[in-house]
Amino acid sequence: GAVVSQHPSRVICKSGTSVKIECRSLDFQATTMFWYRQFPKKSLMLMATSNEGSKATYEQGVEKDKFLINHASLTLSTLTVTSAHPEDSSFYICSASWASGLTDTQYFGPGTRLTVL
Amino acid sequence: RKEVEQDPGPFNVPEGATVAFNCTYSNSASQSFFWYRQDCRKEPKLLMSVYSSGNEDGRFTAQLNRASQYISLLIRDSKLSDSATYLCVVNFNKFYFGSGTKLNVKP
């Protein structure tokens, strides 16, 4: 299967700081990347969909000014959590797909565990 | 009503047992279906896509019933390593995830 990496795998930061998470597709060009958040024992919740070279599409209830997404190339998307607060502590997972249409398969990165103190 | 619903379990089964999970979805126009497996504190990993004709991969069999709007996953000859949470995923313009069914395979 396709390989997606994420960096960092774990980050602890102080309240009010910003954290950048990188998502890379290593062996394919990802036309679309997705950012999810997962709280303990809960299902994945889609935050936004990102297409290379265009603005991300955010899900309802997700603040686009707080969660900045940049998809500058076909292999890299970044999520920046700005002015992080303890309630932003979560498991953030990206995924990538390369096909268009409704039958895309998504391949997930290993996730980033964010803890905001 | 949630887009995708799964029994959270846990399903506790002995090694060698056969176990089946179902998942229902609400949007009849959903186009594609998947089962992912997620280990504790790890990312989801694609287990198999689910096709209308049903498909099998080793000990795993997935089926789709469009009329009743559910998909199923059957695991035969369970192994200890099958212990995980199994996520049902339905694609209609975007991926909708079930909350997962937890499987514990015991010696």
Side-chain angles (χ1 to χ4, degrees):
Chain A
V3 179
V4 177
S5 70
Q6 247 181 276
H7 177 80
S9 59
R10 182 183 296 269
V11 60
I12 301 172
C13 68
K14 293 182 179 179
S15 186
T17 59
S18 294
V19 175
K20 181 186 279 190
I21 303 170
E22 290 187 351
C23 177
R24 293 182 185 271
S25 56
L26 298 185
D27 54 359
F28 66 99
Q29 293 188 322
T31 52
T32 307
M33 286 186 170
F34 304 85
W35 287 96
Y36 294 85
R37 182 166 53 180
Q38 187 177 33
F39 293 104
K41 298 187 178 181
K42 299 292 184 183
S43 61
L44 277 76
M45 296 299 297
L46 180 65
M47 299 175 68
T49 301
S50 168
N51 292 295
E52 185 262 340
S54 61
K55 289 184 179 180
T57 302
Y58 289 81
E59 294 300 302
Q60 193 173 10
V62 178
E63 299 174 58
K64 62 180 180 181
D65 294 330
K66 180 170 181 62
F67 298 99
L68 302 178
I69 291 172
N70 183 280
H71 193 162
S73 76
L74 285 171
T75 59
L76 173 65
S77 176
T78 61
L79 167 68
T80 301
V81 183
T82 61
S83 187
H85 291 284
E87 58 265 29
D88 298 324
S89 298
S90 188
F91 190 43
Y92 291 86
I93 311 175
C94 73
S95 71
S97 67
W98 66 81
S100 60
L102 296 174
T103 57
D104 300 359
T105 297
Q106 293 187 23
Y107 294 92
F108 287 83
T112 296
R113 197 161 299 280
L114 171 64
T115 303
V116 185
L117 303 176
Chain B
R1 183 184 172 188
K2 291 183 180 178
E3 289 86 1
V4 182
E5 297 207 57
Q6 290 182 254
D7 180 343
F11 285 59
N12 297 307
V13 303
E15 267 187 294
T18 296
V19 61
F21 311 133
N22 278 345
C23 162
T24 59
Y25 61 94
S26 61
N27 192 329
S28 61
S30 298
Q31 295 291 329
S32 53
F33 309 86
F34 307 88
W35 282 102
Y36 279 76
R37 153 190 185 136
Q38 186 174 26
D39 292 289
C40 188
R41 300 174 74 84
K42 299 286 187 182
E43 79 278 20
K45 293 190 175 175
L46 179 66
L47 182 63
M48 57 199 309
S49 303
V50 188
Y51 305 118
S52 297
S53 55
N55 49 305
E56 185 174 313
D57 182 4
R59 297 181 294 109
F60 299 85
T61 301
Q63 292 192 313
L64 166 64
N65 185 317
R66 285 192 180 272
S68 301
Q69 293 181 209
Y70 75 85
I71 67 173
S72 64
L73 177 67
L74 180 78
I75 305 175
R76 289 180 297 277
D77 188 23
S78 299
K79 311 290 184 191
L80 295 177
S81 57
D82 293 334
S83 297
T85 296
Y86 290 83
L87 304 174
C88 168
V89 182
V90 174
N91 190 353
F92 178 72
N93 293 328
K94 67 179 183 181
F95 270 37
Y96 292 92
F97 284 80
S99 55
T101 297
K102 189 168 176 57
L103 172 65
N104 295 318
V105 181
K106 301 189 180 297

